[in-house]
Amino acid sequence: MKKPSLWAIVIASIPFCAMCFSVAAWDRVYPMVFGLPFNLFWLLLWIVLTSVCMWIVHRIESARTAKPANHPGERNPS
Amino acid sequence: MSPSAIALAVIFIIVVSGSALGFYAGTRHKMSLEQWTVGSRGFGPLLMWLLMAGETYTTFSFLGASGWAYSRGGPALYILGYLPLASVIGYFILPPVWELGRRHRLQTQPDFFLAQYGNKYLAAFVAIVGVVFIIPYLLIQLIGLGIIVEIASFDAIGRTQAMIVAVVLLGGFVFVSGIRAVAWVSVPKDILMVVASVTIGIAIPGIYFGGIGKMFAALAGAHPAHLLMPGSTANLGHSWYISSVLLSGLGLSMWPHGFAATFTARSAETIRRNTIVMPMYNLSLAFIFFAGFTAYLVIPGLSNGDLSMLTLVRQTFPAWMLGLLGGAGALTAMVPAAVHILTASTLFSKNLYRPIFAPDMSDDQVARLARVVVVLLSLVSLIVAIYSTLSLVSLLLLGYAGVTQFFPGVVLSLFWKGVSMEGVFAGLVTGVACATVLILGNHDPFHGINAGFLALCLNFGIAVLVSMVQPTTTGRSNARLSGHMARTDD
């Protein structure tokens, strides 16, 4: 299988940093945003931004696959 | 009419019309094994989206998420964290899986392992693990149905009787119509689910506190710790959050039914578009959290948090509204439960029974055996569901601890040429054993980290290590080289 490009992986890892690894930084009640505790607001914001990131990734990947049109059956005996 | 009669009548009408739609969709197509399991690989973007959304957003999100917001507080937020990240993983993994599925005419997840590693015992083991760990997920739906009917009947109908009715209905539904029916019942189900959750999420805090913001202000004033991690628990802190989000995020694409659903898509592009839009669907979960947190303030002290949302709805709204929500919840349980039963019975017949015990069976015989297994499996789950005392979220985490162990085998086969069958087999066995021992021994979370995630790390490490010691085996390269095998099961 063809591996995704480096840029695609970098952009796709942004949501992981924002919603998962950085939990200690945003798991707080204040400041409340739109009446929501900060941790809940942060996750909802990143749900939307995750779709945005993936849309960008898709643009990058489709541009990349569109160019080289020759991948016949990819037979690579390992 | 009494309130319970009204509520039950509304639920009944919704469930019957939903099922009728499913039966109708099912009878229009002739049922071969290929049609029954993967809908002849002809699902376009819309039907595909419905199927995937229908499988992902289950009673678990409806009752379980509000239940944990009520009983655990902050740790419930892991649900909002892992679902979008699972779509990110899906974007990269599912299209190549679909591609291989089309090339080798795969129908199930063990089929995939067989094609990639060329060992029928590995495939059979994958089938066993798949069936065993899909059962907790099936239990969630059955228990959810039981809770809905119990509350809607004002406790007149016991949960056990309710679950018996649900199982009969479900079994019949799957038996007749297969996967296409399931996708179509997702239509009314998803619409009702979104409308219902937004309505409750806005109306309930509005009625008791004058708005969502005011409700959170009251909660932050009275119990600020409940909104944070570890919330109202002792050991579900930040390291638990990170490990559970990773376990579940990596695992969502590994559910045997989700994996098989991938094969129903018409193209890889359909799947990619799907995973881009999918995270947004989770926004509706926020409203379910609002309801759960409101319940924590208004009706504290329930011993079973999973009952909190419907109990609050019952004491707030007229009976028909309870019926509407109950009906939405019931469909939300039936659609995924049907998929779980369908998948598990196919795994058992096609990937465990036939290759190991009866190699001469034809596809038609397999399809018939699968239908018998549907009945058996429904009965077994019913009995387990009656005696289960776990919360809905705990059941889901148990399932994830098992199915995520497929992740190394799937990903390594797609992106690393050096992986060997021995490595993946050894890793998988170790991972499943480790998760089982830790969870059954009540060591979950283990030192603040999700036990299933620890098992996954061990699994991955062993798979890589053994593959390096014992590089590519003949079985694997054979499967790779004969890229145009007509079928995988010979």
Side-chain angles (χ1 to χ4, degrees), chain A residues 1-4 8-9 12 15-16 19-21 23-24 26-30 32 34-37 39-40 43-44 47-48 50-51 54-55 57-58 61 73-78, chain B residues 77 80-81 84-85 88-89 91-92 96 100 103 212-213 216-217 220 224 227-229 238 241-242 245-246 269 272 276-277 279-280 282-283 286 290 414-415 417 472 480-481 484:
Chain A
M1 282 298 137
K2 197 151 57 65
K3 292 191 177 116
I9 292 177
F16 279 85
M19 300 178 88
C20 181
F21 302 115
V23 56
W26 50 258
D27 183 27
R28 55 189 73 234
V29 177
Y30 300 102
M32 287 199 168
F34 303 125
L36 304 176
N39 51 8
L40 187 54
L43 286 173
L44 294 177
I47 285 176
V48 178
T50 301
S51 277
M54 291 320 290
W55 180 75
V57 166
H58 190 58
E61 289 290 283
E74 49 190 281
R75 302 185 169 214
N76 349 325
S78 34
Chain B
L77 292 177
L80 288 178
L85 296 181
V88 175
I89 300 284
Y91 179 88
F92 293 103
L100 284 161
R103 205 186 303 159
I212 295 164
F216 276 118
L227 287 167
L228 298 171
M229 293 163 222
H238 289 156
Y241 173 87
I242 293 174
V245 165
L246 287 177
E269 189 62 15
R272 288 199 194 93
I276 296 170
V277 185
M280 307 282 255
N282 298 300
L283 289 172
F290 300 161
L414 293 176
F415 300 114
K417 277 185 213 141
T472 321
R480 267 294 179 80
L481 284 170
H484 297 286

Side-chain angles (χ1 to χ4, degrees), chain B residues 24 76 88 121 133 211 214 309 374 396 428 449 474 487:
Chain B
Y24 173 71
V88 175
Y121 295 100
F133 285 94
K214 287 182 182 148
M309 187 170 84
V374 166
L396 189 73
L428 182 58
I449 296 177
T474 47
R487 29 163 72 200

Side-chain angles (χ1 to χ4, degrees), chain B residues 346-432:
Chain B
T346 311
L347 292 189
F348 179 86
S349 328
K350 182 168 189 284
N351 299 106
L352 184 61
Y353 189 79
R354 175 161 75 176
I356 307 293
F357 301 109
D360 305 330
M361 281 173 92
S362 69
D363 270 6
D364 284 339
Q365 283 171 312
V366 171
R368 241 171 294 156
L369 174 64
R371 291 181 183 209
V372 177
V373 178
V374 166
V375 177
L376 290 178
L377 202 70
S378 310
L379 288 176
V380 171
S381 327
L382 176 64
I383 293 164
V384 182
I386 290 170
Y387 293 102
S388 166
T389 54
L390 288 173
S391 77
L392 299 180
V393 176
S394 309
L395 281 168
L396 189 73
L397 283 168
L398 175 66
Y400 270 115
V403 296
T404 311
Q405 306 306 328
F406 297 142
F407 187 79
V410 171
V411 170
L412 291 175
S413 82
L414 293 176
F415 300 114
W416 187 39
K417 277 185 213 141
V419 68
S420 73
M421 187 279 292
E422 287 83 353
V424 166
F425 210 156
L428 182 58
V429 171
T430 319
V432 170

Side-chain angles (χ1 to χ4, degrees), chain B residues 13-14 25 40 73 97-98 108 137 154 162 183 209 294 352 357 363 440 479:
Chain B
I13 291 167
I14 291 175
S40 293
V97 165
W98 176 85
T108 67
Y137 210 169
F154 290 76
F209 295 93
T294 310
L352 184 61
F357 301 109
D363 270 6
L440 289 184

